[in-house]
Amino acid sequence: MNRKNTTHPFPRNLICDVYGREVAPEELPLDIDESIMYVLDNMMPERDAFILILRYMRNMSNREIAAYYGLSSARIHQIIYKAHRQLRHPSRFKYFKDGCAKVAQEKPVLPGEQVPTALPADPRPDEALADIADVNIRVDAIMARGGLNRIEWLGLPMRAYNCLVTSQVENVWQLCLLSPAALLQIKNLGVGTLVIIQEKLCALNLGLDDGTMGADDQTWDYAAQRYTALAMSGR
C-alpha cells in the first residue's frame, strides 16, 4: 500500500469514530499513531485501509473518494462503516486501547486453545442452530458452543485456514454468521474446502448460516458486542 503523503499524528476523529465517543488524549497509548498504522497495514483489506487514509488523513469527502474509485458516495459510506466495525473487533481494537508495545508482550493464543472467557450457558442445547428462529438466541448458542474460539480451534486444513484469515474471519462466531454462498466468494475457497468447513462445524453442533439467519449489520453488531463482553468477563 502506498503510504506517501500521509501525515502524523493520526486524526483523533477516526479514533473517536471507532470508540463511538469522544476520547481524551490521556486515554490513548503513547504509540497510538504507530499502532493505528500497524493495524491498517497488517490487519485490514488494503482498499478499506486506504479509504480510511483518504477520509481521515487527507480529509477527502465521501464524494471525492467515490470519484477516485469510480463508486457511489453511498458505497464509500458503507465501506467506511464496515471498516469501523472491523476496527472494533477485539483483535484490532486492543491496538487502539493498549498500543503495539503492550500487545506485543501478550501471550499469543495457540492453535487449539480457547479464548480465556467464562462461557455462557447454551440457551438451546438440544436444538440445531438452523432450528433456532430467534437470531439473537442463535448467536448466544453459537458463543456457548465454541464461537468465542479462534478458527484455529476447528483444526482446518491450511488452505481453508488461510482463505478465512485473509478474509478477516478470525473467530468461529464470525464464520457461523456467513452463508455457504458468502464463503464461495472468498478467493481460492472452492466447494471442496467449503464441505470440509461445514463438516468441522457440524461435528461441534455448529454450522453456517443456511439462509434462515440472514445476518445483517444489526446481527453482526450484536454478535461483536456479545463476543467482547464475554471475552472481557473471563480476563
Side-chain angles (χ1 to χ4, degrees):
M1 185 186 301
N2 182 8
R3 298 300 186 191
K4 294 180 181 179
N5 298 324
T6 58
T7 58
H8 286 75
F10 209 90
R12 283 187 60 248
N13 54 353
L14 172 61
I15 298 170
C16 294
D17 284 350
V18 172
Y19 269 79
R21 62 177 176 83
E22 284 295 319
V23 182
E26 55 268 23
E27 294 183 65
L28 301 172
L30 295 177
D31 60 350
I32 182 63
D33 300 324
E34 294 81 358
S35 299
I36 293 175
M37 293 310 298
Y38 174 83
V39 172
L40 295 182
D41 273 330
N42 298 283
M43 304 177 73
M44 294 286 288
E46 182 173 338
R47 185 191 64 173
D48 295 6
F50 194 62
I51 285 176
L52 291 179
I53 286 176
L54 295 179
R55 179 70 183 89
Y56 289 97
M57 297 183 74
R58 300 186 183 174
N59 296 316
M60 291 176 64
S61 67
N62 286 1
R63 180 177 297 179
E64 291 171 326
I65 299 171
Y68 179 85
Y69 277 99
L71 300 172
S72 67
S73 296
R75 179 58 183 146
I76 295 300
H77 176 79
Q78 291 174 344
I79 292 171
I80 292 174
Y81 176 84
K82 177 185 174 183
H84 288 164
R85 190 173 67 192
Q86 290 176 322
L87 291 173
R88 293 187 190 107
H89 186 277
S91 65
R92 302 177 187 87
F93 186 72
K94 62 184 177 181
Y95 287 89
F96 283 72
K97 183 169 65 72
D98 298 327
C100 281
K102 184 175 180 180
V103 172
Q105 296 173 359
E106 294 179 354
K107 176 180 178 292
V109 178
L110 300 175
E113 279 191 311
Q114 281 191 316
V115 175
T117 146
L119 291 177
D122 190 335
R124 303 282 178 83
D126 299 323
E127 291 187 46
L129 286 180
D131 295 332
I132 303 175
D134 186 290
V135 173
N136 288 351
I137 293 177
R138 190 184 300 196
V139 168
D140 290 341
I142 290 170
M143 299 297 182
R145 297 176 190 183
L148 297 164
N149 292 314
R150 297 182 64 82
I151 59 170
E152 290 94 328
W153 178 69
L154 296 173
L156 295 168
M158 188 57 65
R159 181 187 185 89
Y161 173 79
N162 287 338
C163 287
L164 293 175
V165 170
T166 300
S167 298
Q168 313 299 319
V169 180
E170 300 168 344
N171 295 97
V172 176
W173 69 265
Q174 295 172 305
L175 178 59
C176 291
L177 264 60
L178 297 174
S179 66
L183 287 183
L184 288 175
Q185 295 298 312
I186 296 175
K187 185 177 180 180
N188 297 325
L189 197 155
V191 174
T193 302
L194 172 62
V195 170
I196 292 172
I197 291 173
Q198 290 176 309
E199 289 175 346
K200 293 285 188 179
L201 291 172
C202 183
L204 296 164
N205 201 18
L206 291 167
L208 301 172
D209 177 14
D210 61 353
T212 60
M213 192 172 191
D216 55 15
D217 287 340
Q218 212 170 17
T219 303
W220 278 94
D221 287 343
Y222 174 79
Q225 290 167 8
R226 290 292 291 148
Y227 171 81
T228 302
L230 291 166
M232 293 302 294
S233 70
R235 295 186 191 279

